[in-house]
């Protein structure tokens, strides 16, 4: 193939651009369009790529379809699929898992009380109790881990501390210094993205972040 289209350049006043009269540009944008052959301006009327494409189709205005438009639409589809999957299926599975693990952990704590494994078993109960309460504010927290679990939940709710000693993870180690403690970044518990679209997804996000 031998390319044969003659090179062209837009006139400074856009007089040789066939549909220039259908658009209104600022002097700065018009100068950039003439100089570079394109200009990027914001639009208050279109929040997605396909909105402007659809308008152009009805107005017989050519579209320049860029690769980022395709990637953006893929992202929208993926985000929608993930949101529905998490809300309708995975959240229920997470609640069932948490309930089962909390029940089993309490059984283990009862069996291991008085042994070298008592503190580890107690910490497991607190760990799953925090997850249960994050998913359901009415979930019951066993009395023997209530102080640590509620301390953890308060830090998660405040989500202000960066790398702060975790009440649950440091159970049984009261003498641990701040430098040697197991720390948690509580600022990461702020729901974001599609997790802000419903209370179900907000609590799912926090519980998954805790896990």
């Amino acid at each position: 193939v031998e390319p044969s289209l003659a090179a062209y350049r837009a006139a400074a006043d856009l007089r040789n651009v066939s549909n220039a009269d259908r658009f209104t540009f600022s002097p700065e944008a018009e100068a950039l369009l003439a100089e570079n052959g394109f200009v990027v301006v914001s639009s208050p009327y279109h929040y997605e790529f396909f909105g402007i494409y659809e308008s152009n189709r009805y107005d017989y205005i050519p579209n320049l379809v860029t690769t980022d438009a395709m990637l953006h639409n893929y992202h929208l589809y993926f985000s929608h699929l993930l949101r529905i999957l998490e809300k309708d299926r995975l959240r229920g599975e997470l609640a069932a898992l948490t309930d089962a693990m909390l029940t089993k952990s309490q059984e283990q704590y009862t069996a291991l009380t008085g042994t070298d494994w008592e503190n580890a078993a107690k910490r497991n109960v607190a760990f799953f109790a925090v997850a249960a309460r994050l998913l359901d504010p009415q979930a019951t927290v066993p009395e023997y881990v209530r102080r640590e679990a509620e301390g953890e939940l308060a830090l998660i709710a405040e989500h202000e501390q960066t790398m702060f000693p975790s009440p649950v993870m440091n159970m049984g180690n009261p003498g641990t210094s701040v430098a040697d403690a197991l720390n948690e970044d509580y600022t990461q518990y702020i729901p974001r993205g599609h997790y802000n679209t419903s209370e179900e997804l907000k609590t799912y996000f926090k519980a998954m972040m805790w896990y």
Side-chain angles (χ1 to χ4, degrees):
V1 176
E2 291 290 338
S4 58
L5 186 65
Y8 68 91
R9 187 173 185 84
D13 59 0
L14 305 182
R15 65 180 180 278
N16 61 339
V17 178
S18 62
N19 61 352
D21 58 336
R22 302 185 64 180
F23 301 90
T24 301
F25 297 106
S26 68
E28 294 82 5
E30 186 170 310
L32 287 169
L33 180 57
E35 179 182 354
N36 300 316
F38 74 94
V39 66
V40 179
V41 295
S42 62
S43 169
Y45 306 108
H46 302 283
Y47 298 99
E48 300 292 350
F49 287 96
F50 50 77
I52 192 72
Y53 293 160
E54 186 72 0
S55 297
N56 287 351
R57 185 168 72 89
Y58 284 105
D59 291 339
Y60 296 98
I61 297 172
N63 283 318
L64 172 64
V65 181
T66 53
T67 53
D68 55 339
M70 302 299 294
L71 291 170
H72 178 67
N73 278 283
Y74 171 79
H75 171 75
L76 290 178
Y77 176 75
F78 174 77
S79 179
H80 172 77
L81 180 65
L82 183 63
R83 182 173 69 253
I84 298 304
L85 178 64
E86 289 176 320
K87 183 178 179 181
D88 294 347
R89 298 300 299 271
L90 295 182
R91 195 186 188 285
E93 296 291 339
L94 184 65
L97 171 68
T98 300
D99 182 63
M101 294 300 289
L102 179 56
T103 299
K104 188 65 176 178
S105 296
Q106 291 180 83
E107 293 173 359
Q108 290 180 343
Y109 174 71
T110 299
L112 295 170
T113 298
T115 71
D116 292 342
W117 297 97
E118 178 178 349
N119 184 68
K122 185 178 181 181
R123 187 168 56 242
N124 282 349
V125 174
F127 178 79
F128 290 111
V130 168
R133 182 63 70 80
L134 288 172
L135 287 168
D136 178 7
Q138 305 304 318
T140 301
V141 175
E143 184 62 38
Y144 53 89
V145 296
R146 181 163 295 169
R147 179 173 61 85
E148 293 84 359
E150 290 186 346
E152 196 77 53
L153 289 162
L155 289 166
I156 290 173
E158 293 167 2
H159 49 70
E160 294 178 353
Q161 299 289 346
T162 302
M163 302 314 293
F164 191 80
S166 164
V168 167
M169 294 305 166
N170 291 290
M171 288 175 64
N173 300 306
T176 303
S177 67
V178 174
D180 296 329
L182 292 168
N183 298 309
E184 177 74 342
D185 179 6
Y186 292 97
T187 63
Q188 66 183 334
Y189 289 93
I190 303 173
R192 44 197 177 270
H194 71 254
Y195 298 105
N196 262 322
T197 59
S198 71
E199 195 61 32
E200 292 171 303
L201 286 172
K202 287 179 182 179
T203 54
Y204 173 84
F205 174 89
K206 292 178 183 179
M208 286 297 292
M209 188 61 71
W210 171 246
Y211 276 130

